[in-house]
Amino acid sequence: MIRSKLIAGNWKMNKDIHETVTLVNEIKERVKSLETSPAEASVDIVICPPFISLVVAAGLIKGTQIKLAAQNMYYQNDGAYTGETSARMLKAVGCEYVILGHSERRQYFEETNELINLKIKQALSNKLTPIICVGETLEERVSGVTDQIITTQVKGVLSGLTMQEIEKIVIAYEPVWAIGTGKTATTDQANQVHKLIRKLVSQLYSWAIAEKLIIQYGGSVNAQNAFELLSQSDIDGALVGGACLKSDSFTSIIGSAIEAMKK
Ligand code: PGA
């Protein structure tokens, strides 16, 4: 079956409001000339600027094929949670996606699978598509426990999701040791974990659902390695950090997804 490819740019804590305007306008201009529906399925483009730039970015991408995501959210919809932002608020400014459980959130903000699970449920009830990140650390890979770690994370974050809900999620496999380090998983290493994730979802739900699931790869994806990664059978997109901060490398990765789709 042909799945769409999803290319998302995770800006992390980069770009102020002025730089946001410049980068979004550049991406818009470059994306115009791309044919993003080369096959039966399409290449979907998502940008994830910092919270404070979301409203402005939403205005700039109106009427284009670029979609908006937030990088995080809280699991309650309203209330006395100083400094937090809810799914309902993200939806109201035009977000369609939200990244949840990124390894930097797990590492620096102590997010657990349980908390991420609550966030996923709240995102889904507000009709936001969660891009759910999982991935092993270098230590875990070296000690040969990658599969166990991924299994625990996938089961933990998906716990209690219904058949209908599971159809509306995206999973991003991001080996922690490959994030921002310039080290990428080999296409084979990545594809194997993607297959494992698909198998887990088929066991927890059904093969029909697992077959449709979009599983992105993330971790030092750039204009040079994107095509090979995106050509793998089970890699359905990329969650891009560093290389999404420049419009030329980000659109080049989108171009690689289009080429990979034609294969
Ligand atoms: P990177 O980040 O592309 O800079 O490695 C990816 C991510 O953390 O989503």
Side-chain angles (χ1 to χ4, degrees):
M1 89 156 271
I2 302 181
R3 286 180 292 270
S4 305
K5 296 226 188 271
L6 176 65
I7 306 298
N10 174 11
W11 296 16
K12 307 192 180 182
M13 198 176 73
N14 293 293
K15 307 290 178 192
D16 65 19
I17 192 70
H18 310 290
E19 293 158 343
T20 296
V21 173
T22 308
L23 182 56
V24 174
N25 280 333
E26 280 178 22
I27 295 171
K28 244 168 81 174
E29 206 42 51
R30 286 177 187 270
V31 160
K32 259 191 209 160
S33 57
L34 296 176
E35 171 54 78
T36 49
S37 304
E40 284 167 50
S42 56
V43 175
D44 297 317
I45 306 165
V46 176
I47 56 169
C48 324
F51 282 123
I52 203 158
S53 293
L54 287 173
V55 176
V56 166
L60 293 170
I61 60 175
K62 222 182 202 130
T64 74
Q65 55 188 316
I66 304 167
K67 294 173 180 161
L68 194 64
Q71 300 171 18
N72 179 36
M73 51 165 260
Y74 196 52
Y75 74 92
Q76 298 281 5
N77 256 346
D78 298 283
Y81 303 103
T82 303
E84 293 298 319
T85 303
S86 72
R88 195 174 74 76
M89 296 168 186
L90 296 178
K91 189 72 191 173
V93 301
C95 287
E96 292 181 54
Y97 296 80
V98 58
I99 301 173
L100 293 176
H102 190 279
S103 66
E104 287 148 19
R105 301 287 325 167
R106 293 176 187 259
Q107 187 182 346
Y108 305 129
F109 304 97
E110 289 162 22
E111 292 201 4
T112 59
N113 291 327
E114 292 70 31
L115 176 69
I116 297 159
N117 175 253
L118 292 174
K119 292 185 176 194
I120 293 168
K121 288 177 177 156
Q122 191 62 269
L124 287 165
S125 47
N126 283 277
K127 303 207 161 26
L128 282 173
T129 301
I131 297 178
I132 306 164
C133 304
V134 296
E136 81 287 1
T137 62
L138 182 58
E139 229 178 20
E140 290 160 348
R141 174 153 289 263
V142 172
S143 42
V145 294
T146 298
D147 288 9
Q148 285 103 294
I149 295 294
I150 299 297
T151 304
T152 306
Q153 289 181 351
V154 169
K155 288 192 174 163
V157 296
L158 300 187
S159 170
L161 293 196
T162 63
M163 286 276 184
Q164 287 77 15
E165 286 175 325
I166 205 79
E167 292 200 60
K168 302 200 174 73
I169 66 160
V170 169
I171 294 184
Y173 168 56
E174 298 206 305
V176 180
W177 49 272
I179 296 178
T181 56
K183 286 186 200 141
T184 340
T186 63
T187 47
D188 213 44
Q189 280 173 327
N191 206 36
Q192 267 180 27
V193 178
H194 283 230
K195 280 185 193 285
L196 167 69
I197 294 170
R198 211 177 293 287
K199 192 171 115 201
L200 286 168
V201 171
S202 80
Q203 286 164 350
L204 293 168
Y205 295 90
S206 73
W207 179 247
I209 285 176
E211 213 188 6
K212 283 191 241 151
L213 177 68
I214 300 293
I215 308 177
Q216 297 178 299
Y217 170 79
S220 296
V221 176
N222 58 37
Q224 286 70 44
N225 59 26
F227 177 74
E228 207 193 328
L229 285 161
L230 292 165
S231 301
Q232 301 305 304
S233 62
D234 284 80
I235 301 187
D236 314 312
L239 184 52
V240 186
C244 81
L245 297 174
K246 291 216 164 75
S247 62
D248 54 351
S249 43
F250 186 55
T251 39
S252 160
I253 294 167
I254 298 166
S256 300
I258 296 170
E259 287 311 306
M261 194 117 224
K262 288 185 191 157
K263 268 183 50 172

